[in-house]
Amino acid sequence: MFDETLEWPFFDARHRELKGLERFADQDLQSLIQQEHDGADVYAIAPQMVKTLGAGGWLEHAASLDGRLDSRSLCLVRDMLARRSGLAEFAFAMQGLGTAAITLFGNDEQRREWLPGVIAGDRIAAFALSEEEAGSNPAEMLTAAHKDGDDWVINGEKTWISNAGLAHQYVVFARTREASGAQGLSCFIVAAHTPGFSVSASIDVIAPHPLGSLRFTDCRVPADALVGQEGDGFKIAMSVLDVFRSSVGASAVGMARRALDHTLLRVTQRQISGASLGSFQLTQDKLADMATAVDAAALLVYRAAWVKDVVGGRTSRVAAMAKLFATEEAQHVIDKAVQLFGGLGVVSGNPVERLYREIRALRIYEGTSEIQKLIIAGQLLRSHAESVRR
Ligand SMILES: Cc1cc2nc3c(=O)[nH]c(=O)nc-3n(C[C@H](O)[C@H](O)[C@H](O)COP(=O)(O)OP(=O)(O)OC[C@H]3O[C@@H](n4cnc5c(N)ncnc54)[C@H](O)[C@@H]3O)c2cc1C
């Protein structure tokens, strides 16, 4: 099915060449993926995955010195990696999410300083937007930065930060003006060794990945740590999410494909009362629903990526549709896989049991499903109001 996806009109020849990643992952990443599946410490494995992806040149699709991100490449890489490993996909995605503000809004010096190490896989990146009281509503964040001479001094706490403790550099959003809500936010780059920066907690989640909270105590960064203009922070964060939300959808598609791969193997091997499980029509009902959901989700994801790359501008509605539908449907696909595995489906370490845990957070991070619905409906209502006024 993935080969068919590559034939869709959304893609150019250079996108089809990305298929080489499948062989790279099956060879060069295989032993790390096996260690992940055997329960090795994610804090030890994730940096090795970043290094391996960097050495293979794949991180060039996560960040770029020319200031552009190709949304279709980003989605294809996430789709292919998620079909094999949640952690490899996470390792790739965070190099992009943790630097997209710099790629898209940084100046040349910032890009030259902060991106090459990330693209090579020598440095790990993180994106610090969320706070305990400001998750779905980042405009209400409390972390603040004030000017002191030429420097900025940051104070506050962030939580739910992927790669906290592993990252060498963090893109951090903080309030720089008294202006309420979204108006007063700015974006900074903070190196992990900066005095006043610390990792205040690590957080264990159902599908382990490096995650924690950050504290900024009079954390002083130079003037050139500011990305874009002062006050641009909210616009930068939302523009980054416009690109990355469809790619979360791509990750969900890859996980759903993995569930379908395992299910097809299982239902053709499992014999019940002398017949294969796959020969029962109720099984075929589930298989048909699973395959249709995967394709429908992939269509929305790659439509959003194509709109971003080819039409351009803000693409919040199509990105929200892609993330919402792909993550919700992947949850259903994986649930059906667990059901078809029977008791084995809930045994710890079984591939579909692992997927059942891995998929859950995708409906929450980078904006919950409910927030995606608010974005879609909000834009519909605004367009309707404009068309009535015309
Ligand atoms: C595994 C994981 C990794 C993450 N990684 C990062 C990261 O790297 N960087 C980062 O900055 N953040 C990260 N996050 C944070 C993530 O983006 C937030 O968890 C998410 O935005 C939700 O915020 P919250 O947890 O505060 O939930 P809340 O905002 O408290 O929401 C709770 C519930 O209320 C609902 N809700 C909220 N507002 C409304 C509304 N207006 N109408 C209807 N329902 C509403 C939500 O949909 C949700 O169901 C991560 C989260 C997880 C779980």
Side-chain angles (χ1 to χ4, degrees), residues 32-266:
L32 291 170
I33 294 174
Q34 192 53 51
Q35 291 174 55
E36 172 202 358
H37 293 172
D38 291 344
D41 177 12
V42 292
Y43 284 84
I45 301 293
Q48 296 178 55
M49 285 179 161
V50 171
K51 262 214 167 318
T52 309
L53 286 164
W58 298 103
L59 296 175
E60 286 168 20
H61 303 291
S64 98
L65 289 169
D66 70 8
R68 294 217 308 266
L69 279 176
D70 185 75
S71 191
R72 288 165 293 175
S73 302
L74 197 60
C75 289
L76 284 168
V77 171
R78 291 192 72 170
D79 186 345
M80 282 185 271
L81 288 176
R83 191 172 184 179
R84 288 158 176 79
S85 153
L87 197 62
E89 191 279 320
F90 162 83
F92 170 82
M94 284 313 302
Q95 294 298 89
L97 182 65
T99 50
I102 307 169
T103 296
L104 300 175
F105 293 92
N107 57 37
D108 285 345
E109 289 86 71
Q110 288 170 328
R111 285 200 281 261
R112 277 198 295 271
E113 181 175 355
W114 298 99
L115 298 184
V118 170
I119 294 169
D122 296 334
R123 291 176 67 82
I124 292 179
F127 175 82
L129 178 69
S130 303
E131 299 181 4
E132 200 168 312
E133 298 303 325
S136 295
N137 51 350
E140 290 175 17
M141 72 175 56
L142 297 175
T143 296
H146 68 267
K147 206 110 208 237
D148 185 31
D150 284 342
D151 297 341
W152 289 94
V153 179
I154 307 174
N155 280 287
E157 295 201 22
K158 297 281 176 186
T159 192
W160 307 117
I161 307 308
S162 296
N163 276 343
L166 276 187
H168 301 87
Q169 59 191 63
Y170 296 76
V171 160
V172 178
F173 295 86
R175 182 166 303 287
T176 48
R177 287 189 209 152
E178 285 308 316
S180 64
Q183 308 300 317
L185 306 186
S186 298
C187 175
F188 299 92
I189 313 164
V190 180
H193 57 70
T194 311
F197 169 90
S198 61
V199 175
S200 49
S202 73
I203 304 170
D204 289 334
V205 278
I206 52 174
H209 88 228
L211 187 72
S213 306
L214 312 176
R215 182 170 297 136
F216 300 84
T217 311
D218 291 332
C219 177
R220 182 177 290 270
V221 293
D224 63 9
L226 179 71
V227 180
Q229 301 298 312
E230 195 215 331
D232 280 353
F234 192 76
K235 182 187 82 182
I236 293 174
M238 294 307 120
S239 300
V240 167
L241 292 177
D242 263 7
V243 178
F244 275 83
R245 277 181 180 149
S246 14
S247 77
V248 175
S251 168
V253 168
M255 288 187 195
R257 291 191 207 277
R258 182 161 26 128
L260 192 50
D261 293 341
H262 285 294
T263 304
L264 286 169
L265 271 179
R266 176 69 185 161

Side-chain angles (χ1 to χ4, degrees), residues 4-16 72-73 75-76 298 302 305-306:
E4 272 177 35
T5 303
L6 283 174
E7 296 307 317
W8 289 350
F10 301 121
F11 302 115
D12 302 333
R14 69 197 159 95
H15 296 116
R16 296 189 185 101
R72 288 165 293 175
S73 302
C75 289
L76 284 168
Y302 291 112
W306 178 86

